[in-house]
Amino acid sequence: MADMIPLCVPDLRGNEARYLQDCVDSTFVSSVGPFVTQFEEAVAKAIDAKAVTAVSSGTTGLHLALTTLGVERDDLVVLPSLTFIASANAIAHCGASPWLMDVSYDSWGLDPASFRKALEIQTERRGSDVFHKASNRRVKAVMPVYVLGQPADMDPIVETAREFGLAVVADAAAALGATYKGRSVGALGADLTVISFNGNKTVTAGGGGAVGGQDEAVVALARHLGTTARSDTGYDHDRVGYNYRMTNLQAAVGCAQMERVDDLVARKRAISGRYREALMGVPGIGFFPDPAWAVGACWFSGITLGENRHPAAADVVDQLRTKGIDGRTFWKPIHLQTPYLSAPAEATPVCEAVWRNILTLPCSAGLSDADQDRVVDALKEILCQ
Ligand SMILES: *Cc1c(COP(=O)(O)O)cnc(C)c1O
């Protein structure tokens, strides 16, 4: 349909084309090039990390972060079930398995109380390691996820992780621009924090990721492992490494986008606020979490539908489509996904209560007020009929 309003498309109206042309003119198109370093510095500043290494995607960034922090074959990594499949895949790429847990209503992030209780009851210490008793597997790390760009309640999560000696990798894929208790997402206590620059994220590099941390030596190790673990300028390699570097072409787009990061995030928040205002009166609907202790990045906008009160989210998506609007249902939880059906899992009642009722709505940074009004009118028509 010609006038279909898309869910989320990038806004490339800054210096993107000019910087790409610079790459072509200079022939620096690969992972050696000035834009990569410049991009890493811009991201480090934006998330308040001491150091950042740019990588090829959020997924490879998560895998690299876990590997850097010592996650190995057969380990367990605690993961909230309400996340994009990439979080679980990155754990599986280490030969490890997610240990799936529930989220809390107030942020849709890992529930700190369930996390603590599961560790207290189901694990035991053996030397310096913690083991999951039922599966006899080492629990090496926890991966909190900042769902839709909304930080998880990190203070209690980090406190529990430290007590049990777990490494913390934050999946902050869509959370660039968010804060938690006034702190930026790179400074919330995780050992490593991973951002995605995929095409549909608030800031894009076409594809790409960044791994940031407060300990420069840890980020340096991630950089080393992500660049074939080369130990000198020749062909000596000291570990099994990966080719995960971001290219200068990606970083060129990323740099142009980072120049506008504040504006892009502000637009996302404005769109989300405008939906909230316009749809507030529709009976039975709810909005995405907005806890007092965080300012979310509002990567996606949308609503939650009242069960038994509205058509199912999938039906609303179909009806929106006939009106030229691209709305979507949301991530099916990991414990229901074929590759992870046998992963250790705790009860996930909150996860199950919310995921089916989530409806995401068009929220491109470049969305016009007129198009947004069209979405609101269409939605009211569908939900109030
Ligand atoms: C986007 C996203 C990813 C994946 O990032 P890619 O760059 O697409 O690999 C991982 N986790 C979450 C929570 C995401 O939103």
Side-chain angles (χ1 to χ4, degrees):
M1 203 176 302
D3 63 343
M4 186 88 180
I5 302 174
L7 182 73
C8 189
V9 290
D11 172 349
L12 304 171
R13 293 175 292 185
N15 286 318
E16 288 82 359
R18 194 157 75 80
Y19 292 170
L20 282 170
Q21 188 64 50
D22 286 351
C23 294
V24 173
D25 292 345
S26 70
T27 75
F28 281 113
V29 294
S30 189
S31 43
V32 177
F35 285 120
V36 178
T37 309
Q38 199 182 310
F39 181 69
E40 289 174 338
E41 284 164 7
V43 174
K45 186 160 168 273
I47 66 171
D48 195 16
K50 262 267 168 50
V52 159
T53 184
V55 292
S56 55
S57 73
T59 309
T60 56
L62 289 168
H63 176 234
L64 189 61
L66 292 165
T67 303
T68 299
L69 296 171
V71 172
E72 293 176 352
R73 183 161 297 282
D74 294 332
D75 283 342
L76 294 182
V77 175
V78 173
L79 181 72
S81 194
L82 187 67
T83 186
F84 179 52
I85 196 82
S87 324
N89 287 345
I91 294 168
H93 295 162
C94 297
S97 166
W99 178 9
L100 299 165
M101 296 191 188
D102 207 5
V103 296
S104 51
Y105 276 113
D106 65 355
S107 67
W108 292 351
L110 179 66
D111 180 50
S114 319
F115 170 48
R116 166 166 283 273
K117 196 166 147 227
L119 282 169
E120 279 173 353
I121 294 174
Q122 304 207 47
T123 67
E124 67 183 16
R125 236 167 247 280
R126 295 186 205 158
S128 58
D129 289 329
V130 164
F131 277 76
H132 180 245
K133 289 184 277 190
S135 66
N136 198 34
R137 296 170 86 163
R138 180 173 74 156
V139 187
K140 183 61 187 175
V142 55
M143 185 190 285
V145 179
Y146 305 163
V147 176
L148 294 156
Q150 179 68 58
D153 190 1
M154 285 298 278
D155 283 350
I157 291 171
V158 170
E159 190 186 321
T160 300
R162 295 300 165 229
E163 204 177 306
F164 286 84
L166 307 188
V168 182
V169 172
D171 180 348
L176 188 65
T179 58
Y180 169 78
K181 300 182 182 174
R183 290 175 271 150
S184 297
V185 286
L188 306 187
D191 296 293
L192 290 169
T193 297
V194 179
I195 310 280
S196 163
F197 297 93
N198 185 36
N200 72 359
K201 297 298 199 263
T202 302
V203 168
T204 185
V211 180
Q214 299 300 330
D215 186 334
E216 286 167 284
V218 174
V219 177
L221 177 58
R223 185 187 300 277
H224 178 66
L225 293 174
T227 51
T228 70
R230 187 182 279 234
S231 55
D232 62 9
T233 50
Y235 289 98
D236 221 21
H237 306 263
D238 58 12
R239 290 211 17 204
V240 175
Y242 304 89
N243 178 10
Y244 281 173
R245 280 294 270 169
M246 178 179 272
T247 68
N248 206 43
L249 287 170
Q250 292 169 300
V253 175
C255 282
Q257 290 265 289
M258 286 304 291
E259 290 171 355
R260 297 190 295 144
V261 59
D262 293 342
D263 286 343
L264 292 170
V265 174
R267 271 299 294 150
K268 288 287 195 176
R269 291 201 177 115
I271 291 166
S272 169
R274 212 162 168 273
Y275 274 128
R276 193 177 280 256
E277 211 167 284
L279 294 167
M280 197 71 97
V282 178
I285 67 160
F287 296 93
F288 295 171
D290 186 20
W293 37 260
V295 182
C298 298
W299 169 42
F300 274 179
S301 283
I303 56 172
T304 58
L305 300 168
E307 218 157 351
N308 306 324
R309 185 155 195 173
H310 299 127
D315 295 335
V316 177
V317 166
D318 289 344
Q319 292 188 56
L320 282 172
R321 188 161 290 273
T322 66
K323 295 172 188 289
I325 293 162
D326 190 7
R328 302 275 174 93
T329 55
F330 198 53
W331 303 325
K332 182 177 172 183
I334 304 301
H335 69 279
L336 303 175
Q337 301 279 4
T338 304
Y340 300 104
L341 291 176
S342 59
E346 301 307 300
T348 51
V350 179
C351 197
E352 258 141 59
V354 300
W355 80 273
R356 279 179 208 279
N357 299 323
I358 297 170
L359 177 71
T360 58
L361 296 170
C363 58
S364 307
L367 181 70
S368 68
D369 284 355
D371 276 355
Q372 190 171 10
D373 291 343
R374 228 182 90 196
V375 177
V376 168
D377 291 342
L379 203 55
K380 282 182 170 165
E381 212 177 294
I382 294 165
L383 298 180
C384 302
Q385 66 198 354

